[in-house]
Amino acid sequence: ADSLAYGTRRKIILESYAPSGFDVKGLVIVGDYPDEEDESTGEDKIVHMNGSILAFPDSCFLWNVKAVKDVTYESLSAVQLYNPLVEYLFIGCDSPLPPREL
């Protein structure tokens, strides 16, 4: 849990996966914001994101890809724009692919 507190931005957590998409914790906070006197924060809520996603340590976006052929440099443009620079990129799918399709 210490790694989730690293840096100044809140981190998100991918809670679970279903055929319809991903459950993401940390995108939405319900309750009070911390102030100088009280450091307690609201409760993290889980948001179900239908479909493919691009997930970064502190944010998550819907990604409009339906098939392997849709994964292109253009479809990954958000990764190129993300700051700090992305060091590792993991791309997964829900079924094994023959190596030639990659």
Side-chain angles (χ1 to χ4, degrees):
D2 289 339
S3 64
L4 295 176
Y6 181 76
T8 58
R9 298 182 190 172
R10 290 181 43 82
K11 304 298 186 247
I12 64 163
I13 298 171
L14 301 180
E15 279 283 316
S16 61
Y17 166 77
S20 61
F22 294 84
D23 288 337
V24 183
K25 184 175 183 178
L27 286 177
V28 177
I29 301 171
V30 176
D32 296 328
Y33 288 97
D35 58 26
E36 292 177 14
E37 296 173 15
D38 180 16
E39 294 195 15
S40 64
T41 59
E43 180 182 348
D44 282 332
K45 293 295 182 180
I46 295 174
V47 175
H48 183 76
M49 299 188 77
N50 291 311
S52 300
I53 61 171
L54 284 174
F56 299 100
D58 56 357
S59 57
C60 194
F61 304 97
L62 289 171
W63 189 31
N64 190 21
V65 296
K66 302 286 184 220
V68 174
K69 65 180 172 64
D70 298 332
V71 179
T72 63
Y73 286 116
E74 290 80 20
S75 72
L76 292 166
S77 60
V79 175
Q80 297 171 347
L81 295 173
Y82 186 77
N83 190 15
L85 181 67
V86 173
E87 292 183 46
Y88 300 99
L89 177 65
F90 298 93
I91 299 175
C93 81
D94 59 354
S95 60
L97 294 173
R100 289 185 179 193
E101 289 188 40
L102 301 174

